[in-house]
Amino acid sequence: MLRDFYEDDHEAYRETVRAFLAREVVPHQRDWDEARWIDRGVYTRAVKAGIYGLQIDERFGGSGEPDYRYRMVVCEEIARINALSFGLTVSLQDDLVLHYLLDLTSEQQKQRWLPAFACGEILGALAMTEPSAGSDLRGLRTTARRDGDHWILNGQKTFISSGLMADVVVVAARTGEGSSAFSLFVVERDTPGFERGPKLDKIGLPGQDTAELFFNDARVPHANLIGEKGRGLQHLMSHLPRERLGVTAKAIATTAAIFEQTVQYCRDRHAFGAPLTAKQHVRFELAEMATQIDVARAYVDKSVMAYNVGQLTPVDAAKGKWYVTELQKSVLDRCLQLHGGYGYMTEYPVARAYLDTRIQTIYGGTTEIMKEIIGRDLAGN
Ligand SMILES: Cc1cc2nc3c(=O)[nH]c(=O)nc-3n(C[C@H](O)[C@H](O)[C@H](O)COP(=O)(O)OP(=O)(O)OC[C@H]3O[C@@H](n4cnc5c(N)ncnc54)[C@H](O)[C@@H]3O)c2cc1C
């Protein structure tokens, strides 16, 4: 089916992204996975090459390009080489952290952080989740108490992507009474009282670091409060459509890439004297998945265009997030099955992707929470 989505400029950009990944990522992927750590320098080179950070205004060193289709191109190219650990950090920067720094900062704060972000001097993380507050952010316990020109932060965060590598962390902390009275702070690397736990062991995304963060009387300057004091929850909520679109974009890109590789595998692999594709069951499996991917992609493309004109609603983003990530889970499982025993070997892209993407229905809001958002809207509240 004709996909009337990209223009010539996007395709030219794709060549740049593809060349960058071939040069800077592909040769190192295996080493990064084994070391369970990605070389920090690749992100500096990536932002300088325009792989992320395009939205930053030109006066701060970016390109001032808000079109999300460029982000889609990056997702597709990263999926094509199955560099999902690398891809998560890129998406964390572009779909989450950067937007807090763009939307919630004063001119002075922009001057402090955006040029450094645009040249790769700083990488960011976003710390909302706590041991006792994941889906239900109203349970946050981390506190921030005003002390002259500073805020004193106490508490703990968990499951924070790039928690170890990040130079700045956007932290949600309680600044008042009431379940939702919290604010957002940019906590910088060398803040006294800010400590990080060891890298957490995950079933997938081995190169991506995920960590616990600790705030023990951490002294954060008042100048690092972003957005409005006491409106942290609203600020988080207003950024969730972009975060969820980011997860959805990665999901459709990876699903399509692994599916294409699986079709080829089924054509090449022989059993009972014929290619796997000679079997009707295999053809029906492939036919179903091809249809599901095409239909889902139409929704994602529409969501991207809606986002571009500021019209992607939280409910529409939630629909895409749960539906496409659940589709990803099911398609990758079926593709793995079609690979037989080879599908269980992590040297095969399908096995790597199967492990790396299992998180997709969980972070950024679980499938169940997405259905709550949609269901509550339908119920009229
Ligand atoms: C690899 C990884 C990276 C992450 N990165 C980050 C990050 O960078 N920053 C960050 O802040 N967080 C991050 N997270 C945290 C992630 O967003 C949370 O794990 C997620 O929101 C779920 O919260 P929870 O783990 O506390 O599960 P819980 O909220 O305890 O949920 C447990 C189960 O109960 C279900 N459930 C909960 N409430 C309801 C309900 N009302 N109705 C029906 N079912 C419900 C959930 O859907 C889930 O199935 C990351 C997590 C992982 C594993």
Side-chain angles (χ1 to χ4, degrees), residues 25-39 43 81-87 199 201-209 346-349 351-353 355-356:
V25 175
V26 173
H28 309 291
Q29 254 172 282
R30 189 178 282 265
D31 292 344
W32 291 339
D33 279 357
E34 278 170 15
R36 298 175 62 247
W37 188 257
I38 294 177
D39 163 35
Y43 297 110
I81 59 160
N82 216 21
L84 304 184
S85 291
F86 169 78
K199 187 170 180 287
D201 249 334
K202 309 187 294 290
I203 62 170
L205 297 170
Q208 222 286 327
D209 81 85
T346 49
E347 73 180 88
Y348 277 73
R352 199 52 281 147
L355 293 168
D356 289 346

Side-chain angles (χ1 to χ4, degrees), residues 238-297:
S238 68
H239 285 81
L240 284 173
R242 167 94 188 196
E243 174 177 355
R244 288 174 182 155
L245 179 62
V247 179
T248 309
K250 281 184 291 174
I252 194 71
T254 308
T255 309
I258 294 296
F259 175 72
E260 278 167 29
Q261 289 166 15
T262 303
V263 172
Q264 194 55 51
Y265 183 87
C266 292
R267 287 180 186 158
D268 295 342
R269 176 80 180 165
H270 282 62
F272 298 94
L276 291 178
T277 43
K279 282 107 188 114
Q280 190 187 49
H281 168 76
V282 171
R283 290 199 304 273
F284 278 14
E285 281 287 279
L286 296 176
E288 270 187 38
M289 289 190 273
T291 310
Q292 288 171 321
I293 292 169
D294 278 356
V295 172
R297 185 157 28 210

